[in-house]
Amino acid sequence: MFKFFLLCTLAVASRADIGEEDDVLVLKKSNFEEALKAHPNILVEFYAPWCGHCKALVPEYAKAASMLKAEGSEIRLAKVDATEEADLAQEYGVRGYPTIKFFKGGDKESPKEYSAGRQADDIVNWLKKRTGPAATTLGEVAQAESMIAENEVAVIGFFKDAESEGAKAFLKAAEAVDDVPFGITSNDAVFSKFEVSKDGVVLFKKFDEGRNTFDGELNKADLLAFIKANQLPLVIEFTEQTAPKIFGGEIKSHILMFVPKAATDFNDKMAEFKKASEGFKGKILFIFIDSEVDDNQRILEFFGLKKEECPAIRLITLEDEMTKYRPESEAITADNIIAFCTLFTEGKLRPHLMSQDIPEDWDKNPVRVLVGKNFEEVVFDPKKNVFVEFYAPWCGHCKQLDPIWTKLGEKYQDSADIVVAKMDSTANEIETVKVHSFPTLKFFPAGDEHKVVDYNGERTLEGFTKFLESGGKDGGAPAGEEGEEDEGIDDMEDLDEQDSDSDGDGGDHDEL
């Protein structure tokens, strides 16, 4: 009996070590396994105290935890300070902040990466999808009304026979969507309340038309396409909360209006933009970005814009390669935007490649300065071996590399056939070279073949020297095999999700 009492006391004491802050469990390596045993379904955020995106997530994460707790749910939310619990963070492959993983059924070996938005409703809906039925059975009108009232978007399947092929296709579609709640009903009163006379699917939303009725063939693919096309507003603001929905969607062509929300003509510009959007629903996503918000300045820079140049319109495709387009007319009218988008959909637009003017002293210093306008002339000179650093002014690793790169330039300043150069890739773009991360180092050997070799060796003067003296072999790799780099821009969302890494210690971009 004493042993049993002692074990119980120790168990209670152990669980007492799991603290809470605003209904969020505070976990450490010492209590992590105990937490998984006590709470089999637990969502864990690995964060850093200095991370701006982690700070922004705090209120929504706590709200989600409180919502689940108030419902009596067994699902709990937890957090781990990854800077204090480095071993735990390493064990679960944390490379950026915040990283959020769902441990289902107490399984600590293969947690599921969180993949939805950053608002409380997104978090709760995603967790419910992961632990419960894909669609909630709605047996009463009040249940359906509650689902619609409590969510920005909700999808309800109306099926007289819940075992029909259409109902099964609907449930398969529901399983595939993380960020929208689904309901299914066979109740006549619910059919009547929402004026549905036959089997079908209705998407309810608190914006634009208010509801959309599916009118295609009831199969998973068509239902998913219908949901993706209608779950976002015709015009959506780019924010930290909406970014996952924008970039996680099926629509990869985005037109962006950069405009200060505080401007006196903001509503007029929005009216023109929204009017233009109506004809491109499901084809082009219309997004506006407040050009005065500090967090958006890197996105403006990515498009070669300054605050004083806004309002402005740009279009980007987020396929394998990001391609940007600029309208000929800067006037923001529905007619101009429609014409611009029509040319794009017809494949009649040429990409817009940014370039600074060629500096007068571009070749006067040990490290030559390249811009879009002189790039190909320099790097494809058949008599020169050109080693180029593609950098971003804000990149911490680029700043760390700068003195070494300068020494390399000085070493080969008087060389007859080796040129050391650099290019600001936030202000200059090259059609033949796509840069996805900073710094990116590429070698263009002499000759007429226009070869490109990626540098993957050590970022030291000795490593660079060996590489150049070996003709790009020692430390080189075939084009396309890039090493681990500093700050990625694999898609535009990365620009919003970068925390500064000014100390050059390898900070990765946020991955939520």
Side-chain angles (χ1 to χ4, degrees):
M1 179 64 73
F2 176 74
K3 289 183 178 179
F4 175 75
F5 176 77
L6 181 61
L7 287 172
C8 289
T9 302
L10 289 172
V12 171
S14 176
R15 291 185 184 182
D17 288 340
I18 303 175
E20 287 190 29
E21 293 179 3
D22 297 325
D23 295 326
V24 177
L25 302 177
V26 180
L27 303 187
K28 302 178 180 180
K29 187 174 179 63
S30 59
N31 65 12
F32 197 81
E33 290 196 20
E34 181 63 34
L36 293 183
K37 292 176 183 177
H39 308 288
N41 292 321
I42 186 169
L43 185 71
V44 181
E45 175 203 5
F46 294 86
Y47 73 97
W50 44 258
C51 164
H53 296 294
C54 301
K55 293 176 184 177
L57 181 61
V58 168
E60 292 298 319
Y61 199 69
K63 182 180 177 182
S66 299
M67 288 168 62
L68 290 168
K69 195 172 183 179
E71 293 177 7
S73 173
E74 294 182 354
I75 306 170
R76 295 301 304 270
L77 270 62
K79 61 182 180 180
V80 173
D81 182 342
T83 64
E84 293 289 336
E85 303 295 327
D87 291 344
L88 195 58
Q90 183 176 3
E91 181 179 348
Y92 291 105
V94 176
R95 297 182 61 250
Y97 308 111
T99 290
I100 304 181
K101 295 178 181 283
F102 181 50
F103 296 80
K104 184 177 180 180
D107 176 18
K108 68 172 186 176
E109 301 302 326
S110 54
K112 174 76 175 179
E113 292 283 345
Y114 177 77
S115 58
R118 291 174 174 166
Q119 294 177 307
D121 287 341
D122 297 324
I123 296 169
V124 171
N125 287 332
W126 188 89
L127 287 168
K128 286 182 175 179
K129 278 288 183 71
R130 288 284 175 264
T131 56
T136 302
T137 300
L138 306 173
E140 299 177 359
V141 171
Q143 288 178 288
E145 290 179 327
S146 178
M147 173 174 279
I148 294 168
E150 293 173 2
N151 294 281
E152 189 79 3
V153 177
V155 181
I156 297 179
F158 296 82
F159 297 97
K160 294 293 185 181
D161 178 6
E163 299 299 320
S164 67
E165 291 303 312
K168 291 177 181 177
F170 174 75
L171 291 175
K172 288 181 180 178
E175 291 171 354
V177 180
D178 289 331
D179 54 351
V180 175
F182 283 66
I184 186 168
T185 185
S186 301
N187 185 279
D188 290 338
V190 180
F191 270 71
S192 178
K193 173 65 179 178
F194 295 102
E195 301 178 347
V196 177
S197 59
K198 61 181 182 178
D199 284 7
V201 176
V202 180
L203 183 146
F204 297 90
K205 55 190 181 183
K206 294 180 179 177
F207 48 83
D208 297 341
E209 312 98 316
R211 65 184 276 175
N212 302 102
T213 300
F214 179 73
D215 61 1
E217 183 181 344
L218 285 167
N219 60 63
K220 178 182 175 181
D222 288 349
L223 283 169
L224 289 177
F226 162 75
I227 294 163
K228 293 292 185 184
N230 291 288
Q231 73 177 111
L232 294 177
L234 283 171
V235 175
I236 184 170
E237 181 177 5
F238 180 84
T239 66
E240 187 173 320
Q241 287 72 36
T242 62
K245 296 180 181 180
I246 290 172
F247 298 106
E250 297 297 317
I251 303 173
K252 299 302 182 184
S253 299
H254 299 172
I255 187 168
L256 313 168
M257 179 172 68
F258 297 89
V259 59
K261 287 177 73 173
T264 55
D265 61 348
F266 172 75
N267 289 331
D268 295 336
K269 294 285 191 295
M270 281 294 295
E272 294 293 313
F273 198 53
K274 187 169 184 178
K275 182 179 179 181
S277 72
E278 295 170 358
F280 299 93
K281 186 176 180 179
K283 299 177 183 177
I284 301 175
L285 195 59
F286 279 61
I287 304 163
F288 78 90
I289 298 177
D290 188 346
S291 56
E292 293 295 322
V293 173
D294 289 342
D295 285 348
N296 293 336
Q297 296 313 301
R298 194 172 293 176
I299 301 174
L300 267 74
E301 183 180 282
F302 179 66
F303 284 90
L305 287 169
K306 298 178 181 178
K307 286 196 293 186
E308 52 269 26
E309 295 176 300
C310 297
I313 295 286
R314 295 292 185 271
L315 194 150
I316 185 170
T317 59
L318 303 178
E319 302 296 344
D320 292 337
E321 297 290 353
M322 290 184 291
T323 305
K324 291 176 270 188
Y325 302 88
R326 175 180 176 174
E328 289 188 7
S329 172
E330 295 294 337
I332 298 179
T333 66
D335 288 343
N336 280 346
I337 296 168
I338 290 169
F340 177 51
C341 291
T342 300
L343 288 173
F344 169 74
T345 57
E346 293 176 349
K348 296 179 180 178
L349 285 182
R350 290 183 59 83
H352 170 63
L353 299 174
M354 298 185 299
S355 177
Q356 296 172 304
D357 290 330
I358 302 174
E360 291 184 6
D361 61 346
W362 74 270
D363 59 348
K364 299 297 188 294
N365 295 313
V367 177
R368 307 299 195 264
V369 178
L370 303 183
V371 297
K373 294 177 180 179
N374 70 347
F375 182 84
E376 293 196 0
E377 178 184 353
V378 175
V379 303
F380 293 132
D381 182 336
K383 298 179 180 179
K384 302 290 185 181
N385 295 287
V386 186
F387 198 13
V388 183
E389 176 202 4
F390 298 87
Y391 73 96
W394 41 259
C395 163
H397 284 192
C398 300
K399 294 174 184 177
Q400 187 181 44
L401 177 62
D402 190 61
I404 301 172
W405 201 250
T406 298
K407 289 180 181 178
L408 184 69
E410 292 170 349
K411 184 178 181 71
Y412 291 99
Q413 184 172 12
D414 298 323
S415 172
D417 62 349
I418 293 178
V419 175
V420 177
K422 64 180 180 180
M423 188 177 83
D424 179 354
S425 286
T426 67
N428 300 277
E429 295 171 313
I430 308 300
E431 191 168 0
T432 54
V433 178
K434 301 296 182 181
V435 177
H436 296 282
S437 55
F438 303 117
T440 288
L441 307 176
K442 292 182 182 286
F443 178 62
F444 302 81
D448 296 317
E449 299 178 5
H450 290 192
K451 289 183 178 180
V452 183
V453 179
D454 290 302
Y455 180 76
N456 286 340
E458 294 181 356
R459 294 178 187 172
T460 62
L461 182 62
E462 182 181 5
F464 293 144
T465 301
K466 287 182 179 179
F467 176 71
L468 289 173
E469 297 297 336
S470 68
K473 295 178 181 179
D474 189 346
E481 294 184 11
E482 297 192 23
E484 183 176 342
E485 300 294 347
D486 175 54
E487 313 234 21
I489 50 167
D490 290 327
D491 58 45
M492 204 178 74
E493 185 180 10
D494 285 339
L495 295 170
D496 174 60
E497 295 192 327
Q498 302 256 349
D499 274 305
S500 66
D501 181 37
S502 58
D503 60 0
D505 64 356
D508 294 276
H509 68 269
D510 297 23
E511 296 181 344
L512 172 59

